[in-house]
Amino acid sequence: MRIYADNAATTEMSQTALDTMITCLKDVYGNPSSLYERGQKAKEILEQAREDVAGVIGAAPREITFTSGGSEADNQAIRSAALAGKKKGKTHIISTAFEHHAVLHTLKQLEKEGFEVTLLDVHEDGLVRPGEVEAAIREDTALMSVMFANNEIGTIQPVREIGAICRAHGVIFHTDAVQAVGHIPVDVVKDNIDMLSASAHKFHGPKGTGFLYCRKGVPLSNLIEGGAQERGRRAGTENVPAIVSMAAALKEAEANREKNAEILIRQRDRLIQGLQEIPHAALNGDAKKRLPGNVNFCFEGIEGESLLLLLDDKGIEASSGSACTSGSLDPSHVLLAIGRVHDVAHGSLRLTLGEDITDEETEYIIQSVKEIVAHLRSFSPVWRDLQSGKLSFIL
Ligand SMILES: *Cc1c(COP(=O)(O)O)cnc(C)c1O
């Protein structure tokens, strides 16, 4: 048995997305900027994709810019808002300590360029408090960037409230919605969002494609100079096959969203219940305000890396946190942000389920994790010290 339980890292392309992409690669190779028929055909399907993507999140087609993925969309949104702020003498940016590195590293760079960044604390439940968001806003705040749902612990943030606060204070609100779009309801109008990032490969579309929503009237500058594609906001010949495939994947994900969420929530909650039976283990993040397919645990006295290797031997593909920190010795910045101490954060496991998960597979995962955690603890010096009372348990 092989079970893929790392859907927050990437997802398998859906058959529809794959078929759409292959057909487009074969049949529609024109350049959308060309004026003859072959080019205009490409332009036509590109604009249809823009309309489809916009429709899913409640945006207008002109508010969508296609990018190479979530990272580029995050970079462009944040840099644009920072630049627009600077022109008005606003150089303060607010974000949170558990954002994706595409956000955090862009902010680090902006700090070197003279901006001041406030990173809000995230509480133990993995949620940002709107009251603290409001308290952090200053006269010179240009931008607030808070992710829609966290990629490691899956917690869903009070985006609508945060957006309303930003709107009332004249602060641009960006949300990295890469984990949310196609999985939970997202409506840029109702949710008071000015800028939003999304990525196709997180909702069964192709890698290397995503989009940035930028509300009409909010200034958007470009990262890449060149031609006039994407109304001058993103130069370079459009990746038409991937964009059209992304739109197909998103429409499909949206059509099946409620049905899939129901399946995932049921299996997620079974997994949480099963893993909670392991002594000295704790779920990371709120049990209910989390993505339908996300389970994230810490187990005291073990190393997450060893757990992952042994799970792989049993055919279970999972991760300890984000793909970006895998292989490094640093514990997840997300788990540290919610207050897990280093030793505990090291023993983490993230399971992000696919919609095709079965009862049998969920049971198999629970049994496998139980066995492996017990096995690893049986020869862990830390566990021995915890047992003897030399160290005290945290969980
Ligand atoms: C995957 C991910 C990204 C990066 O998206 P890419 O398309 O891989 O560049 C950004 N933010 C979050 C929350 C993600 O999960």
Side-chain angles (χ1 to χ4, degrees):
M1 179 150 35
R2 279 212 85 76
I3 305 172
Y4 180 67
D6 203 13
N7 284 275
T10 196
T11 57
E12 184 182 10
M13 278 180 77
S14 74
Q15 194 60 49
T16 312
L18 201 58
D19 291 345
T20 306
M21 186 147 173
I22 290 169
T23 306
C24 187
L25 277 165
K26 281 203 280 204
D27 301 344
V28 198
Y29 61 83
N31 187 322
S33 299
S34 302
L35 291 177
Y36 42 76
E37 192 184 318
R38 198 180 296 279
Q40 288 311 295
K41 174 69 188 149
K43 175 88 181 158
E44 196 180 293
I45 62 169
L46 178 70
E47 292 315 314
Q48 183 58 50
R50 197 184 309 279
E51 216 173 282
D52 291 343
V53 164
V56 170
I57 62 164
R62 285 168 66 91
E63 295 172 318
I64 302 294
T65 302
F66 293 122
T67 68
S68 68
S71 299
E72 185 185 329
D74 282 341
N75 275 258
Q76 187 170 10
I78 291 168
R79 285 210 165 266
S80 289
L83 190 67
K86 198 172 178 183
K87 285 181 186 156
K88 295 184 189 165
K90 293 180 170 187
T91 54
H92 179 232
I93 300 171
I94 304 169
S95 188
T96 79
F98 80 159
E99 295 298 312
H100 190 272
H101 284 131
V103 169
L104 289 177
H105 290 175
T106 304
L107 293 175
K108 265 244 137 50
Q109 198 56 41
L110 285 171
E111 267 182 333
K112 288 186 199 148
E113 295 167 25
F115 288 85
E116 200 185 323
V117 176
T118 301
L119 292 184
L120 296 170
D121 281 333
V122 184
H123 290 249
E124 210 182 298
D125 57 10
L127 298 167
V128 177
R129 300 290 187 274
E132 292 172 17
V133 166
E134 183 148 37
I137 294 177
R138 313 189 316 208
E139 282 290 301
D140 63 342
T141 304
L143 165 71
M144 173 87 61
S145 181
V146 178
M147 67 202 316
F148 209 116
N150 185 268
N151 50 307
E152 291 192 30
I153 58 174
T155 47
I156 301 167
Q157 304 306 315
V159 165
R160 194 168 295 184
E161 289 94 318
I162 295 171
I165 291 166
C166 291
R167 196 67 53 88
H169 289 271
V171 173
I172 294 177
F173 177 47
H174 165 253
T175 186
D176 174 337
V178 172
Q179 293 288 335
V181 169
H183 298 279
I184 54 174
V186 174
D187 185 310
V188 291
V189 176
K190 286 189 195 144
D191 294 335
N192 305 308
I193 296 165
D194 293 321
M195 295 173 130
L196 171 146
S197 312
S199 174
H201 74 102
K202 303 294 175 75
F203 51 76
H204 302 288
K207 291 166 186 57
T209 299
F211 63 90
L212 171 60
Y213 155 79
C214 183
R215 188 165 70 90
K216 186 170 179 281
V218 174
L220 183 63
S221 46
N222 52 332
L223 292 178
I224 298 172
E225 302 292 346
Q229 293 91 350
E230 299 297 291
R231 302 170 65 230
R233 301 313 197 286
R234 208 275 183 180
T237 304
E238 301 87 342
N239 188 352
V240 178
I243 291 168
V244 173
S245 172
M246 164 167 70
L250 184 54
K251 275 206 301 187
E252 190 180 32
E254 188 60 19
N256 297 322
R257 184 169 52 70
E258 285 183 25
K259 184 183 71 167
N260 285 338
E262 209 173 294
I263 294 169
L264 289 170
I265 287 171
R266 187 165 154 270
Q267 301 294 352
R268 175 195 77 188
D269 291 348
R270 280 168 66 108
L271 260 176
I272 291 175
Q273 214 181 2
L275 297 181
Q276 261 163 350
E277 289 167 7
I278 297 173
H280 305 288
L283 177 70
N284 293 310
D286 192 271
K288 293 294 170 197
K289 288 178 187 158
R290 66 190 303 128
L291 290 168
N294 177 292
V295 175
N296 190 315
F297 266 84
C298 279
F299 304 103
E300 213 164 353
I302 65 157
E303 287 288 335
E305 296 289 303
S306 321
L307 175 58
L308 293 185
L309 291 174
L310 294 176
L311 279 172
D312 189 24
D313 285 345
K314 285 184 175 288
I316 301 168
E317 297 172 327
S319 87
S320 58
S322 76
C324 326
T325 43
S326 302
S328 84
L329 287 175
D330 296 332
S332 141
H333 71 288
V334 172
L335 296 178
L336 296 179
I338 64 165
R340 295 286 186 217
V341 298
H342 274 241
D343 282 353
V344 170
H346 267 303
S348 64
L349 172 67
R350 178 184 73 178
L351 296 158
T352 44
L353 311 175
E355 295 82 4
D356 54 356
I357 181 106
T358 63
D359 287 353
E360 191 196 357
E361 289 173 333
T362 298
E363 270 325 301
Y364 179 72
I365 296 174
I366 295 170
Q367 288 318 317
S368 302
V369 175
K370 279 183 175 173
E371 269 171 43
I372 295 169
V373 169
H375 172 67
L376 289 172
R377 282 174 172 171
S378 72
F379 55 83
S380 150
V382 174
W383 184 251
R384 197 173 50 225
D385 289 349
L386 286 165
Q387 292 278 300
S388 70
K390 233 193 212 164
L391 289 172
S392 26
F393 282 107
I394 296 165
L395 302 180

